[in-house]
Amino acid sequence: MIPKLFSELGLSPELLKAIAKLGFEQAAPIQAAAIPVLMAGKDVVGQSQTGSGKTAAFAIPAIEKTDPRERAVQVLILCPTRELAVQVAEEVHKLAFFKRGIHALPIYGGQSYDRQLIGLRQGAQIIIGTPGRVMDHMERGTLRLENLKMLILDEADVMLNMGFREDIETILKSTPPTRQTVFFSATMPRPIRELIERHSKTPENVRVEQTAMTVPTVEQIYFEVDRRWKIEVLTRLIDVHDLKLVIIFCNTKRMVDELVEHLNTQGYSAEGLHGDMNQAQRDRVMNKFRKSGLEFLVATDVAARGIDVDDIQAVFNYDLPYDVEDYVHRIGRTGR
């Protein structure tokens, strides 16, 4: 699949601005595949793993289809756990940052009803909730779904495994038949397929194949690290192995800039490479790196295409890429 930039997906200027603020340039494969289909109003069955960028794949079209002038629930996103509901709500909030008048509200068990009632009364249009608490609000009459345009089931297989099947059926039956229905699931067992058959209209399947790819000449090592200690572990590895010519990959422009600043503050010589730089700036950084005037090149995937430098000692995936192919492109730079 040819990589696509978000600017090629026909999104509104406000959303593109929010995506740029988050530092993303290139759409992950699931995003490039799902966003145009969802924007066209079709029902979708998306199959992709956690960490593939699927939240933005459904959140971006959901925000685009929400009318800020209408103070009613227009989008419902069902998640299996409160942790996932909060995580999805945070991402929706960030993506809707420049869309004036759009409010997203997480509702889940364990949080006070009062706080959720205030948000619902104020007219939140995008609700991100767990099935049990969504049902509670529906039964109390505090959550009304007659204006719903889009219903998204995130991690549908996990919700069914957790015993939410009856709740999901009840919720689906309480929504307008005209709604757009979206299922995201890492696996497609029979109960999910039955649910899809009953509650969606000729859905389009969007699946990102995970192709097995390796680079046999490259030694690969990984460390499981708490996010807070990533920089410390990175610098410790650099010092222990006395590395002098290294490429470090990040997923966003913002992370590139932050990491460059951290490394330079700690006395390393680092510069960034990302899509906000013009060609002259990129060439200057690359020439400096090639001539060893620079120890660490911190780059995004978009900027890194076509980097060709001999004698690179190591490649660090500071952020893991969304796509297997990007991972192979990255690590292949040290195997030459």
Side-chain angles (χ1 to χ4, degrees), residues 54-73:
K54 69 178 163 62
T55 304
F58 60 71
I60 288 170
I63 294 163
E64 290 283 41
K65 286 174 171 284
T66 301
D67 182 352
R69 295 161 303 185
E70 193 184 325
R71 293 265 174 220
V73 177

Side-chain angles (χ1 to χ4, degrees), residues 24-80:
F24 293 108
E25 304 168 87
Q26 187 176 304
I30 191 72
Q31 294 161 0
I35 289 171
V37 184
L38 288 168
M39 293 292 285
K42 293 178 183 168
D43 285 4
V44 163
V45 176
Q47 198 171 354
S48 88
Q49 304 302 317
T50 302
S52 59
K54 69 178 163 62
T55 304
F58 60 71
I60 288 170
I63 294 163
E64 290 283 41
K65 286 174 171 284
T66 301
D67 182 352
R69 295 161 303 185
E70 193 184 325
R71 293 265 174 220
V73 177
Q74 298 169 50
V75 176
L76 175 61
I77 302 169
L78 290 177
C79 302

Side-chain angles (χ1 to χ4, degrees), residues 129-179:
T130 49
R133 183 56 68 100
V134 166
M135 286 274 294
D136 277 357
H137 279 288
M138 285 166 64
E139 282 161 9
R140 288 165 176 242
T142 48
L143 174 61
R144 304 176 64 94
L145 300 175
E146 61 262 29
N147 295 302
L148 197 75
K149 297 177 184 173
M150 194 181 213
L151 175 60
I152 297 153
L153 285 85
D154 188 17
E155 302 205 356
D157 48 354
V158 179
M159 281 195 280
L160 260 60
N161 288 341
M162 288 172 73
F164 285 130
R165 183 171 185 157
E166 279 181 32
D167 288 358
I168 290 168
E169 292 271 9
T170 306
I171 294 165
L172 282 159
K173 285 172 190 161
S174 313
T175 58
T178 51
R179 60 148 209 276

Side-chain angles (χ1 to χ4, degrees), residues 183-201:
F183 291 86
F184 266 90
S185 190
T187 59
M188 286 291 161
R190 178 185 234 129
I192 297 272
R193 291 200 303 273
E194 287 171 359
L195 207 60
I196 292 163
E197 276 166 36
R198 271 203 306 283
H199 297 285
S200 60
K201 308 175 286 288

